[in-house]
Amino acid sequence: MQLGFIGAGEITSSIVTGLCSSGITAHSIWLSPRNSAIADRLANRFEGISVASCNQEVLDHSDTIVIAVRPSAARDVLSELRFRSNHQVISLVSALSLRRLSELVLPAAQIARAVPLPSTAKRLSPTALYPHDPVAFELFAAVGTVFPVERENEFDALCATTATIASYFAFNETIASWLEQQGVPAPQARDYIARLFLGVTTGAVESYERSFQSLAASHATAGGINEQFLKHVVEHGLLTRVSQALDAVLHRIGVES
C-alpha cells in the first residue's frame, strides 16, 4: 500500500504512530506539509515516511489517500487537488457526506468514510467505517477494532458519540477535583480516578454480551452508594441532557454535510 495523508494533525500522527509501532506498515507513507512540525517529527521517528512539498505531491506518490483536514477547510483543500481514477480515498472529515465527497474527489470512485480516534496510536481505537471497504478495513484493523455500518445515518450517529470524549475527561476532572477538596493530593486523585474508570471500561469490554444497563444494575446495589449517586443524577436530568446534546451534535453533522 502506498499511503498518503492530506492533513498532518493529531489524528494523522496517531494513525501513523499506531501503524509504524505495530510492525504492520505500508510500503511507503507520504505526509502533507500542512503541519510541518508534526510531519517532520514523524518522518524523523519512523522509517519509510516522506514529507511532501505540497498536497498534490502526496496524491502523486500514493494509491490510498486519507483525508484528515478540518471540516471547514475540506472543500477548499480538495478542490485544488487532481485525483486519479485508481485512487482509494478514505475521508476522516466528520461533516462531509459520501455524496459530497464523491463530487470533490472525481474521478476517484473507491471512497469510504471513517472515524478513527487518537487511541489509534496505542492500537485501541474503535473506528466506524462506511461503507464496508476492504482496504480501509485492513488499515484501521491494524490500529484497533473496526465497526462497519450499512447506512450513512448510522455512521453519522457513531460519529456524533465521539463528541462526548471531552465531557468524559471533564467529568473525571470534576471527581478528581472533589477528591482534592477532601485532602487527597492532586496527582494521586488524578491517577486514582483514571485507574478507577480503566478497570470499569476493561470489564465492560470483556463482558461484551452484557448491556450497559445490566452492568449499571449490578453495580447499583439496593441501598448502596452507587444506587444513591445514580438516582441523584437521573432525578436531576443529567442523562436526559446527554441525549439532548447528542441530538444537537447529530443535527449539526447533518446540516454541515
Side-chain angles (χ1 to χ4, degrees):
M1 182 188 297
Q2 306 284 337
L3 184 60
F5 288 84
I6 301 299
E10 179 184 4
I11 193 61
T12 292
S13 177
S14 298
I15 296 170
V16 172
T17 298
L19 287 173
C20 293
S21 300
S22 70
I24 307 175
T25 58
H27 177 67
S28 69
I29 296 177
W30 281 80
L31 300 178
S32 163
R34 189 175 182 86
N35 189 323
S36 58
I38 290 178
D40 290 340
R41 184 172 70 246
L42 290 170
N44 290 331
R45 180 180 177 186
F46 301 112
E47 296 182 358
I49 296 179
S50 302
V51 181
S53 60
C54 63
N55 286 333
Q56 185 59 50
E57 187 177 9
V58 174
L59 268 65
D60 293 343
H61 287 279
S62 307
D63 298 322
T64 300
I65 310 298
V66 179
I67 302 168
V69 298
R70 295 181 183 277
S72 59
R75 290 173 174 81
D76 289 339
V77 170
L78 296 179
S79 64
E80 297 175 351
L81 300 177
R82 300 184 302 278
F83 287 84
R84 300 192 305 267
S85 59
N86 66 339
H87 270 144
Q88 166 81 42
V89 178
I90 304 171
S91 172
L92 312 186
V93 184
S94 60
L96 191 62
S97 68
L98 199 67
R99 178 188 61 79
R100 181 58 178 148
L101 176 65
S102 64
E103 296 170 352
L104 293 169
V105 300
L106 286 172
Q110 290 295 111
I111 307 169
R113 298 178 65 193
V115 185
L117 302 176
S119 51
T120 50
K122 299 292 185 180
R123 302 187 295 283
L124 294 172
S125 174
T127 301
L129 176 65
Y130 173 79
H132 190 295
D133 177 88
V135 174
F137 188 97
E138 179 183 2
L139 173 64
F140 293 113
V143 288
T145 303
V146 187
F147 291 82
V149 295
E150 296 182 359
R151 294 180 294 275
E152 194 161 21
N153 66 314
E154 296 177 61
F155 177 87
D156 287 339
L158 288 172
C159 179
T161 64
T162 67
T164 63
I165 295 174
S167 297
Y168 165 79
F169 287 117
F171 180 75
N172 285 3
E173 174 62 24
T174 300
I175 303 172
S177 295
W178 182 87
L179 279 178
E180 290 181 55
Q181 294 170 16
Q182 312 313 308
V184 179
Q188 186 178 19
R190 191 264 183 208
D191 194 36
Y192 178 82
I193 296 305
R195 293 180 183 277
L196 184 155
F197 285 107
L198 172 62
V200 170
T201 301
T202 300
V205 171
E206 293 176 348
S207 302
Y208 60 89
E209 75 285 353
R210 296 186 60 185
S211 68
F212 287 119
Q213 183 177 10
S214 169
L215 291 169
S218 66
H219 283 79
T221 305
I225 59 176
N226 267 268
E227 182 191 54
Q228 177 185 347
F229 187 91
L230 178 59
K231 183 178 180 180
H232 182 89
V233 299
V234 169
E235 288 179 347
H236 285 76
L238 175 62
L239 302 186
T240 300
R241 291 182 182 276
V242 170
S243 295
Q244 292 171 346
L246 285 168
D247 286 340
V249 171
L250 183 59
H251 175 73
R252 173 182 172 181
I253 291 173
V255 169
E256 294 182 352
S257 63

